[in-house]
Amino acid sequence: MSTLSDSGFEEDLQSSPAVKQWTVDSSIRLTLECDYEECCFIIQRHNEQQFLAQNCLDHQPQITAEARSRLISWLIAVHRQLKLSFESCCLAVNIMDRFLISTSVAADCFQLLGVTSLLIATKQVEVCSPRIKELLSLCCNSFSREQLCNLECLILLRLNFRLVAPTLAFFLDYFTSRGFPGHQTSGHLGKTIPTQDRNIYNEHRAAVDQHSSEKRLKWLACKVCELSLADYTFNKYIPSVIVQCAMKLAKDLLTPSVQSTDNNSSKTFHSFCFEENLLLTFENQVLFQQCTEDLKLLVSLNQDAVQDFVTL
């Protein structure tokens, strides 16, 4: 008896070669020795190539890279207005790009594809997805409910209901959570510090400064990832590479300003990119260097978008 999966994630958990090999080499059961987050990371790392929508516009005569950039920039604004997660936005772009590989889309239906992909992504990620009426109103009611629902069915069929794609948001959350030892102390920031105890007071201030530095690093890295989402140049890179390069670039951009205010902040930068440097030793160095250079150029062309994070 066969079962229908809406994402393929369940099959990956059982049949992924990466998971099987990891389990055999370690001589232990994955479910006993590996927490859920680590398990998801192993699976998503293994799945990156098969979910990569590289050169998705090669067979789209009416859709250009500039049109894609405009649509994704609009989707980013929509996801903010609707207070959706960055994961939903990233997954919507991946769904849209993978659909473009298999199906030609007319220019006048491109926005419909974008908003439909966002709807599918929110159903996968969010607790409550936006109402169809609300999404159509954002398109100035240029499309009907029937058109959106029909396209939704077509997208799901063309993608074979495989929706749990590795995204920038997933790897950003994973790497930053692993790279912030200061999170362990952030829970004490709200406690009252006796003013007469100078040592405890200084430790408290240092913890606050470190927490603030870590937050700035994460938000700047997220902003760089957001910019790359709309740029077709980065369509060729797997998400984990973009995230690691974005983290490194964020560290480089913030190091001078933060070090000038706190001598201890250099520890934050090292801890922030610890996981990243570990993975770099196993990856193609040329690919990382090329991606980093592309991100530097992207940031230089969008100084206004990142300036507030750098000068904060």
Side-chain angles (χ1 to χ4, degrees):
M1 180 178 178
S2 62
T3 58
L4 179 62
S5 169
D6 66 344
S7 65
F9 190 82
E10 295 81 358
E11 293 92 342
D12 291 334
L13 184 59
Q14 299 176 2
S15 62
S16 171
V19 174
K20 287 184 177 180
Q21 187 64 40
W22 186 89
T23 307
V24 172
D25 293 344
S26 304
S27 300
I28 55 176
R29 293 185 61 84
L30 179 65
T31 55
L32 296 178
E33 298 293 333
C34 184
D35 61 26
Y36 179 75
E37 184 181 21
E38 190 71 21
C39 175
C40 292
F41 172 74
I42 294 172
I43 293 174
Q44 295 295 63
R45 283 278 289 166
H46 171 69
N47 288 340
E48 281 190 287
Q49 286 294 340
Q50 72 181 65
F51 280 95
L52 182 65
Q54 189 172 5
N55 301 322
C56 63
L57 300 183
D58 282 1
H59 303 290
Q60 294 293 335
Q62 297 188 39
I63 307 299
T64 64
E66 182 180 357
R68 176 184 178 275
S69 178
R70 288 197 302 268
L71 178 61
I72 295 177
S73 296
W74 178 76
L75 287 176
I76 291 173
V78 168
H79 108 274
R80 285 177 179 160
Q81 179 178 338
L82 299 179
K83 298 181 180 180
L84 303 174
S85 65
F86 187 45
E87 173 70 22
S88 291
C89 187
C90 293
L91 183 58
V93 173
N94 179 269
I95 290 172
M96 181 183 74
D97 285 346
R98 285 193 289 141
F99 181 78
L100 289 172
I101 292 177
S102 62
T103 309
S104 295
V105 177
D108 57 355
C109 294
F110 195 34
Q111 188 181 28
L112 178 61
L113 172 61
V115 76
T116 305
S117 299
L118 183 62
L119 176 63
I120 295 173
T122 57
K123 288 181 178 181
Q124 185 71 24
V125 175
E126 307 292 341
V127 176
C128 298
S129 59
R131 293 179 177 273
I132 293 179
K133 182 178 180 180
E134 184 178 15
L135 294 175
L136 292 176
S137 68
L138 294 173
C139 303
C140 300
N141 292 312
S142 300
F143 311 102
S144 67
R145 181 187 183 92
E146 183 180 5
Q147 286 177 307
L148 188 147
C149 292
N150 288 340
L151 181 56
E152 180 183 11
C153 293
L154 180 59
I155 292 173
L156 293 173
L157 289 173
R158 291 294 167 87
L159 300 187
N160 197 26
F161 289 85
R162 297 184 64 83
L163 304 177
V164 187
T167 64
L168 295 173
F170 171 82
F171 289 107
L172 184 64
D173 287 343
Y174 177 84
F175 287 130
T176 53
S177 66
R178 298 288 167 159
F180 284 161
H183 286 171
Q184 299 174 0
T185 61
S186 61
H188 300 285
L189 298 182
K191 293 184 177 181
T192 302
I193 305 299
T195 55
Q196 66 271 20
D197 192 332
R198 182 60 58 183
N199 291 333
I200 297 180
Y201 176 75
N202 290 337
E203 291 177 1
H204 171 72
R205 289 298 301 272
V208 172
D209 291 341
Q210 181 177 349
H211 180 71
S212 177
S213 299
E214 292 167 355
K215 189 173 182 179
R216 290 174 60 193
L217 281 167
K218 180 177 181 178
W219 280 106
L220 180 56
C222 182
K223 186 60 183 180
V224 174
C225 288
E226 183 182 287
L227 290 173
S228 70
L229 197 63
D231 195 316
Y232 190 60
T233 302
F234 297 91
N235 189 258
K236 60 187 176 183
Y237 298 115
I238 57 177
S240 62
V241 170
I242 298 176
V243 169
Q244 291 175 81
C245 293
M247 291 172 64
K248 182 178 185 301
L249 180 58
K251 177 185 76 88
D252 294 340
L253 290 173
L254 288 178
T255 297
S257 61
V258 178
Q259 280 186 337
S260 63
T261 59
D262 186 358
N263 293 330
N264 294 326
S265 60
S266 59
K267 297 179 181 179
T268 300
F269 300 131
H270 293 302
S271 65
F272 184 85
C273 292
F274 174 77
E275 191 81 21
E276 166 222 353
N277 291 332
L278 182 64
L279 290 176
L280 277 173
T281 60
F282 299 96
E283 298 287 351
N284 188 326
Q285 297 293 330
V286 176
L287 181 65
F288 274 84
Q289 183 177 0
Q290 182 181 357
C291 183
T292 301
E293 292 301 318
D294 287 340
L295 283 176
K296 287 180 179 178
L297 177 59
L298 180 65
V299 170
S300 68
L301 296 174
N302 295 271
Q303 285 289 343
D304 294 340
V306 300
Q307 193 63 34
D308 290 341
F309 294 93
V310 175
T311 59
L312 184 64

